[in-house]
Amino acid sequence: MHRFLGLASISLVLAAITTAPVAWADRLELADGRVVEGLVSKDGETYRVASRFGEAEFAAKDVKEWVKAENVESEWRKRAASLKDDDFAGRAALAKWLADAGRVDEGSALAKTVIDADPENAAAHAVLGHVRHRGSWMSPDEARVADGLVRHGDAWYTPEEWALVGKEAKARAEEVDRAAASKQWNVRVNEAVRLMLAPDKTLRAEGEKRLLAVAAETSSKPLETLATQVKSYAESNDRLMAAAAASGGGASGGDHGMVLTECRIQLAKLKRPIQKFTTSLASGPVTASSPVTIQLPELEVIRIGTTIGIPVR
């Protein structure tokens, strides 16, 4: 029986929010020709730039231009809104842009939706790292399977090679396989929720489908409820973003409107019973050892990452 967190209300999820500023890529073009990138703010006649290299200040008289850039989330919304449902080339290009911007999971999911509708779209296959093998598009792992290999643990074997592997090595590989399988449910939930919070309606539908599929496979009512709550939350956030744009504040802020804030939400539950194993550690002379019992707690974790708008007055 697979157990998941019971989420009675999305407010319980939001109670665990920790916030951090959205990562901007603003640019200051200086009078002497230099260009400085980072999170830019202005205080009177002083510009401040915060970046991974630290914080720097520049007098206003030394600044030629302040170029404000969109964060990934805002730019994503604009690009997705401009695409028609049957623009598969555009969606494949957006998938590559997302992957290049560090949103690999969302880019991959979008590429998969393109392939579902346009199976020979080479650009979408490239985003997924697929190769042309035996006349078909395949992932590298699928290509290995097509060549007769089987994965055990972290390695691939021919049936003949696997037959020669010793008992201890086989046991280790089987343990790796069991651990990976036990994590798959939570991985699938996390991926589905993340897609449901994407700006792209195609990905939202895909995320909802995935989450409901896990709910059906595990007979989990809490996951069905979670799907409804996340969908409602995403729609509410859309209304906030639209209000921000209408007020003139936009995604990059202003005297009024919205300030975008990234939220990292995490819910964890300790799985029981806690696994134990016994080993021997040197405790004196080289030849002496004593048994030591080690506990290995496991957590079921659901993570949500999204961007929300906070009204500024």
Side-chain angles (χ1 to χ4, degrees):
M1 182 68 179
H2 303 284
R3 300 180 60 194
F4 287 93
L5 302 175
L7 304 180
S9 169
I10 196 68
S11 62
L12 295 180
V13 178
L14 297 181
I17 286 179
T18 58
T19 62
V22 171
W24 299 95
D26 290 357
R27 186 170 72 252
L28 280 187
E29 296 181 3
L30 305 181
D32 61 7
R34 289 180 297 161
V35 174
V36 183
E37 294 184 340
L39 177 62
V40 179
S41 61
K42 187 179 181 183
D43 182 10
E45 293 300 306
T46 301
Y47 287 90
R48 291 189 176 88
V49 183
S51 71
R52 61 192 178 94
F53 302 109
E55 187 173 280
E57 293 186 353
F58 302 90
K61 64 181 179 63
D62 296 327
V63 176
K64 179 181 177 181
E65 186 177 7
W66 175 9
V67 181
K68 295 183 180 181
E70 296 282 9
N71 61 73
V72 170
E73 194 85 8
S74 298
E75 180 67 15
W76 184 2
R77 284 179 178 273
K78 289 182 179 179
R79 294 187 182 215
S82 68
L83 295 174
K84 295 182 179 179
D85 291 343
D86 59 352
D87 185 359
F88 303 124
R91 292 193 177 281
L94 178 57
K96 183 179 185 305
W97 178 84
L98 283 169
D100 290 344
R103 307 294 284 268
V104 177
D105 291 340
E106 290 91 338
S108 296
L110 184 57
K112 288 177 183 177
T113 67
V114 171
I115 291 171
D116 288 342
D118 183 13
E120 292 300 315
N121 192 298
H125 282 292
V127 172
L128 294 168
H130 289 176
V131 296
R132 194 76 177 173
H133 188 68
R134 296 176 181 264
S136 301
W137 287 105
M138 300 181 184
S139 69
D141 284 355
E142 290 169 338
R144 293 185 181 98
V145 171
D147 288 337
L149 300 178
V150 180
R151 184 168 185 165
H152 297 284
D154 296 322
W156 290 86
Y157 302 84
T158 65
E160 294 77 15
E161 290 170 338
W162 181 244
L164 297 175
V165 173
K167 289 184 178 180
E168 290 186 4
K170 283 186 175 180
R172 287 194 297 269
E174 290 168 359
E175 180 59 32
V176 170
D177 290 339
R178 280 193 295 271
S182 68
K183 293 178 181 178
Q184 274 305 302
W185 299 104
N186 285 326
V187 169
R188 288 175 62 186
V189 170
N190 286 326
E191 289 180 347
V193 170
R194 189 160 54 246
L195 295 181
M196 288 186 69
L197 294 171
D200 190 317
K201 64 180 181 181
T202 302
L203 284 187
R204 287 188 181 182
E206 175 68 17
E208 183 178 11
K209 182 175 73 174
R210 292 186 186 188
L211 186 54
L212 291 176
V214 177
E217 292 172 32
T218 58
S219 301
S220 173
K221 291 295 183 182
L223 286 184
E224 291 181 8
T225 302
L226 178 62
T228 300
Q229 293 168 338
V230 173
K231 183 176 181 179
S232 176
Y233 171 72
E235 291 171 349
S236 175
N237 191 43
D238 285 343
R239 290 191 290 270
L240 281 173
M241 299 296 290
S247 71
S252 54
D255 294 332
H256 302 282
M258 294 283 174
V259 172
L260 289 184
T261 300
E262 282 189 349
C263 297
R264 294 292 176 260
I265 307 160
Q266 178 171 302
L267 291 174
K269 181 178 181 180
L270 181 65
K271 294 176 65 175
R272 295 184 182 278
I274 297 176
Q275 295 185 10
K276 300 180 180 179
F277 75 93
T278 302
T279 184
S280 295
L281 301 174
S283 59
V286 175
T287 57
S289 62
S290 59
V292 176
T293 299
I294 299 176
Q295 292 184 319
L296 295 177
E298 291 186 67
L299 295 176
E300 291 179 345
V301 180
I302 293 179
R303 297 184 179 89
I304 301 174
T306 187
T307 301
I308 63 172
I310 298 177
V312 176
R313 294 288 183 263

